[in-house]
Each structure stands twice: as structure tokens, then as C-alpha cells.
Amino acid sequence: MTISLLIAALTVAFPREGAKLPFVERCYLIGSVPPGITNVMVQGRPATVHSLGGWVAMADLTVGSNSVSVTSVGRSFPSTQEVKRVLYVAPKPSVSSSIASAVKKYNKLDFAGDEPKQHPVNSKSVMPVAVIDPGHGGPSDMGAVSPHSLPEKDANLRLSKIVAKELEKRGWRVVLTRTNDVAISLFDRPKVAHRENADVFVSIHHNAPPFDKDPREFRYHCVYAWNDIGKSVAARVNAKMAAALAEKVKNNGVLHANYAVTRNPEIPSCLIEIDFITVPEGELDSWNRQRQELLSVAIADGLDEWRRNP
Ligand SMILES: [Zn+2]
């Protein structure tokens, strides 16, 4: 009994046990301890511990073994508690394979036409249709994970439902690509927008940095789009988000992205990265209901403005 409680006390949320990593020389680790514990050590160096117990550290993976030890000593621990992580790191890619991946080109969605459709959004008398896509889902696609092991897929779904309610209040018809924790392939998501003859497609995500970058240095929001019709929506939404999150989260603006869910020649599409849930402060904000309400109003304001002036 005592032993199982102790094991639950110090957790590593990322990387998961036995995680396979691409070639990296260092990797971030995040996890949690009960509030009040401040002494978390990763490879013998202190981790940054937030007041609510989330912690962040960088592990060096160039020292031979990829086994990383995490220890903690604190009020509720009778002695040093150690958790070991064994990480599998892929071999360094050859120069030729990295060149091959750099020139890889993607085409538009194969089920989409070549021209933007005439949407009812251009006619003020017809109810506009938004497809909101909560990113990830299902048992094998969690998305990013927060220090307290809260998966991005849940944060995306929760916010998407609040955005949907806000848009419905304003006269939009809204279709969610998923309403519970199910897996949907990336290519099936924009198909929902085609099936519903949607005016706009918005994918909602929470961010995580690359494995070898320090999460403490990453905190921004941004909106990705692929073509001009997508960037037009993205710009309106981004401006409203920037005003809502002013001073709290940096604005990285509208960025180009060749994603399956943005590569849509017919239906204006964008992907919103709300915040980074890998840092304790970002995690807290991502699960804060008041901030979700604030963001849903900002996203709906952006879509309304785009509708008035596409
Ligand atoms: Zn995501």
C-alpha cells in the first residue's frame, strides 16, 4: 500500500516509459509531484518545480546511456524516491535521407476541387456553417501531454465544444469532427467540411516543443494556414486571440503550414495552436474555464469578422 502511493507521488508525464525518440542529443522531461515538494532532480541536476507540483527539466542523452533517473526528496517522502526512464533514441540520419525528406512535396487533398467554392457565407441570409476539429483523439493519439499527464486531445475537445456553443449563439451551424474520445484520420477530418458544405474549417490544438527544445522557452499562440483563403480566416482569428491573450502569451502570428487539415483549396481552413501545455503555467491556463470562455469569444469574434469581410 505504502509502496504504490509512493510510486504515484513522483510521476514522469513525458517521455512515456520506453518512448522512442527521433535522433536528439537532449530531451525534455516533464512530470509532477505533490504540491510542496520542491526537490526534483533529473540526472542529478535540479528541475524547475511549479508551486502546484508540475516540473520541467532537460536530460542530456549524449553521455552513453539513455537511461535517465529522476529523484525527489520531500516532506511526504520518507527517503529519496527514484524513477528511471529508458529512452530509445533513433540513430543519426544519413545526409542523403535528410535531403530526401527536405524536398518532399505534398499535394492538395485528393478529394478537393481546384477552386474556392461559392459559400453561403457570402450571402448574409443563409446560416453559415463551421466545422470545428478537436485535434487528436482515441487511445493511441493523445497529442501533447501536460506535466500532470493531461492529454492534449482532451484540452482540444473541451475548448472545441465551448467554441461551438459560442458560434451557435451567434447564428452559426457548427459540426464537430468528433464529440468524444475517438480516433479520426487526418484526411477524414477535412472530408467532414466537404460533406457539410462548410464555409470554414478550424482545427484546435495545444502545442508542445520539439523533443530537444526546452519547454520553458516556448510559450506562444499562432494560427497555421496554407493558402490565401485559409490565411484570411487565420488573420482574423489570430488578431482577436492576440487581443484576448495580450501580455500573457506571446503572439507568433499567422504561419504557413502544409498540413492535411490546412491543405484545402476549396474551404478556408486553419489550425489554431492555443498555447503550450508542456509548461506548468501553460497547463494551468489551458485547463482554466475562464480562459477557455475568453478564447472561445475571441475565436468566434474572428470568424464573425471574417464572415462580414471574407
Ligand atoms: Zn496537436
Side-chain angles (χ1 to χ4, degrees):
M1 189 62 187
T2 314
I3 289 169
S4 66
L5 278 175
L6 280 174
I7 288 168
L10 170 60
T11 66
V12 182
F14 178 87
R16 296 194 172 275
E17 189 58 58
K20 290 189 174 65
L21 301 171
F23 175 76
V24 284
E25 294 184 342
R26 54 182 210 152
C27 174
Y28 72 81
L29 272 77
I30 55 176
S32 61
V33 284
I37 306 288
T38 54
N39 186 351
V40 176
M41 309 285 279
V42 174
Q43 289 178 324
R45 291 192 300 271
T48 305
V49 186
H50 188 266
S51 58
L52 290 177
W55 58 262
V56 181
M58 295 301 295
D60 189 349
L61 301 178
T62 59
V63 286
S65 165
N66 289 332
S67 166
V68 178
S69 69
V70 183
T71 60
S72 181
V73 184
R75 279 205 305 268
S76 66
F77 299 143
S79 61
T80 300
Q81 190 190 348
E82 183 164 357
V83 178
K84 273 225 160 144
R85 273 287 173 279
V86 179
L87 308 176
Y88 300 98
V89 181
K92 196 170 187 172
S94 69
V95 176
S96 59
S97 71
S98 62
I99 287 173
S101 67
V103 297
K104 196 171 173 186
K105 283 269 192 300
Y106 293 97
N107 295 318
K108 69 180 175 65
L109 300 164
D110 56 10
F111 51 83
D114 290 321
E115 297 298 328
K117 275 185 198 159
Q118 277 304 309
H119 290 287
V121 78
N122 295 323
S123 154
K124 302 285 183 275
S125 61
V126 181
M127 185 183 248
V129 181
V131 167
I132 305 293
D133 174 45
H136 310 280
S140 60
D141 186 6
M142 312 275 274
V145 64
S146 80
H148 286 88
S149 302
L150 303 169
E152 182 202 340
K153 62 178 182 177
D154 291 356
N156 297 341
L157 180 59
R158 202 160 159 226
L159 180 60
S160 295
K161 285 182 174 173
I162 300 170
V163 171
K165 269 205 186 118
E166 182 62 34
L167 285 168
E168 279 163 358
K169 273 201 301 202
R170 298 166 181 229
W172 289 73
R173 183 167 78 82
V174 182
V175 179
L176 292 165
T177 56
R178 65 180 177 95
T179 53
N180 51 22
D181 184 20
V182 291
I184 309 175
S185 91
L186 282 176
F187 289 95
D188 284 341
R189 293 168 189 260
K191 278 182 189 167
V192 177
H194 284 260
R195 192 184 67 214
E196 300 290 338
N197 199 25
D199 297 294
V200 67
F201 175 96
V202 178
S203 193
I204 290 183
H205 285 251
H206 289 73
N207 219 337
F211 302 111
D212 56 347
K213 298 287 189 294
D214 192 333
R216 288 164 293 196
E217 292 160 18
F218 282 78
R219 203 162 170 211
Y220 59 78
H221 65 88
C222 63
V223 186
Y224 289 105
W226 177 67
N227 53 6
D228 288 345
I229 55 171
K231 282 172 187 168
S232 167
V233 182
R236 302 314 202 294
V237 170
N238 180 257
K240 296 293 180 186
M241 283 180 69
L245 296 175
E247 292 165 30
K248 194 94 202 261
V249 183
K250 194 181 141 211
N251 175 20
N252 249 21
V254 174
L255 304 171
H256 183 80
N258 202 346
Y259 296 152
V261 293
T262 58
R263 212 159 51 237
N264 198 327
E266 289 182 80
I267 298 171
S269 302
C270 65
L271 184 151
I272 305 174
E273 290 284 6
I274 300 291
D275 194 350
F276 282 71
I277 63 165
T278 43
V279 275
E281 295 83 359
E283 174 188 47
L284 285 182
D285 279 344
S286 298
W287 291 85
N288 178 305
R289 177 74 191 203
Q290 264 182 325
R291 200 180 79 149
Q292 289 175 329
E293 302 279 359
L294 181 80
L295 280 168
S296 66
V297 168
I299 293 166
D301 280 350
L303 291 179
D304 272 342
E305 193 163 303
W306 167 78
R307 187 189 167 200
R308 285 191 294 271
N309 182 20

